[in-house]
Amino acid sequence: MHELLTTTVFILGLCIGSFLNVVIDRMSVGKTLLGRSMCDFCKRVLQPIELVPILSWVVQRGYSRCCGKRLSWQYPVVEILTGVVFVVIYNLFYLQGGELVVTLAAMGIASSLIVITVADVKYRIIPDAALAALALFRTWSWQDRALSVFAPQLFAAAVLFSGMALLFAATRGRGIGFGDVKFAGIIGFLMGLQSGFIALYVAFVTGGVMAIILLLTTKKGLKSEVPFGPFMVWGMVAAMLWGSQLSAFFYSLF
Ligand SMILES: [Zn+2]
């Protein structure tokens, strides 16, 4: 029974991942989610058999069925990643006695973070819809929607948004984009002040290290605009998994 449910959750994740691919490629360029999926190359409308997650990619060996062009790795990678993340969340939340609503909200939050990561790497954009979805899923996960719950989260959102907005203004948008500023505010709303601060701290340290590595190993340098969104997502994951250790380390610095 347990294996059956885990498999079901994984397949659900694959299907949601397939949908996330559509969201990433349409939202980032301002297209609607309505309308049939087309081949990336010859624009022929895809048949239902070509839309089956993973299987269609495996059967077609990574090439489009219509015109034989190589399909992007993004499709299977996002599908499998979403499937694996859904199974992890199911184990961490639902199987540990968590509420179904909280488990589903966590899956929604994870899906939005996957969209933000891939869209920022591919299109250098953090879609507003993905940020709005993060806030909605977080609100949905709260059992108690009193002002005493919202107020500290809104305060954290305002602090982190303002901090990043100052940085955005100081660097004239060269270091980070305005999407990163909005994302920082949403991180405050989701995680609260302390965890949100740790998430951004981890993002800046790892993003900075990556920028230095790129500066030393390529000729592109800082101006090549390393997308910062994925580092913020990574910071959130780190703050969630190792938050207490990181905050202990942080307090030891002072
Ligand atoms: Zn084609």
Side-chain angles (χ1 to χ4, degrees):
M1 189 62 191
H2 173 64
E3 285 78 12
L4 184 70
L5 278 170
T6 302
T7 309
T8 308
V9 169
F10 182 67
I11 292 171
L12 173 75
L14 292 180
C15 297
I16 298 288
S18 181
F19 170 70
L20 297 183
N21 275 317
V22 177
V23 171
I24 290 162
D25 287 325
R26 296 200 188 174
M27 290 264 177
S28 305
V29 296
K31 279 198 226 158
T32 97
L33 289 180
L34 300 172
R36 311 268 312 258
S37 286
M38 294 185 295
C39 170
D40 285 342
F41 305 98
C42 68
K43 308 295 173 206
R44 196 183 53 93
V45 170
L46 296 179
Q47 303 300 306
I49 192 87
E50 293 168 90
L51 298 171
V52 182
I54 300 297
L55 275 182
S56 59
W57 203 87
V58 170
V59 168
Q60 294 161 218
R61 296 200 193 93
Y63 290 92
S64 68
R65 204 156 147 259
C66 37
C67 53
K69 296 263 170 54
R70 184 166 270 290
L71 295 171
S72 168
W73 278 97
Q74 176 198 331
Y75 302 120
V77 167
V78 167
E79 285 163 3
I80 291 174
L81 177 67
T82 311
V84 170
V85 168
F86 273 27
V87 169
V88 169
I89 288 173
Y90 173 69
N91 278 277
L92 284 182
F93 288 77
Y94 194 67
L95 292 186
Q96 307 293 327
E99 300 263 354
L100 180 63
V101 173
V102 175
T103 308
L104 292 176
M107 288 172 175
I109 287 172
S111 299
S112 311
L113 293 177
I114 289 171
V115 168
I116 288 171
T117 304
V118 180
D120 203 14
V121 169
K122 192 174 177 186
Y123 297 101
R124 295 292 193 273
I125 265 178
I126 295 180
D128 283 337
L131 294 177
L134 280 176
L136 284 175
F137 281 121
R138 185 68 178 106
T139 305
W140 190 41
S141 74
W142 278 314
Q143 308 294 305
D144 183 9
R145 300 209 178 94
L147 185 66
S148 57
V149 174
F150 274 100
Q153 308 298 119
L154 288 173
F155 175 71
V159 170
L160 295 187
F161 179 88
S162 314
M164 284 288 270
L166 280 176
L167 189 66
F168 176 76
T171 58
R172 297 195 189 114
R174 277 178 304 182
I176 52 169
F178 197 67
D180 300 321
V181 177
K182 288 184 276 186
F183 189 20
I186 296 291
I187 289 176
F189 182 72
L190 259 65
M191 308 190 84
L193 198 54
Q194 177 162 320
S195 298
F197 187 75
I198 291 171
L200 290 189
Y201 179 75
V202 171
F204 275 110
V205 170
T206 47
V209 168
M210 188 64 89
I212 290 168
I213 291 172
L214 285 177
L215 199 66
L216 295 176
T217 56
T218 67
K219 287 181 176 166
K220 285 171 158 182
L222 285 173
K223 280 196 174 167
S224 66
E225 251 191 83
V226 183
F228 193 55
F231 291 102
M232 289 202 273
V233 173
W234 154 243
M236 290 174 80
V237 174
M240 252 183 310
L241 294 178
W242 308 293
S244 47
Q245 289 95 320
L246 284 165
S247 64
F249 164 75
F250 203 78
Y251 284 121
S252 75
L253 293 176
F254 296 102

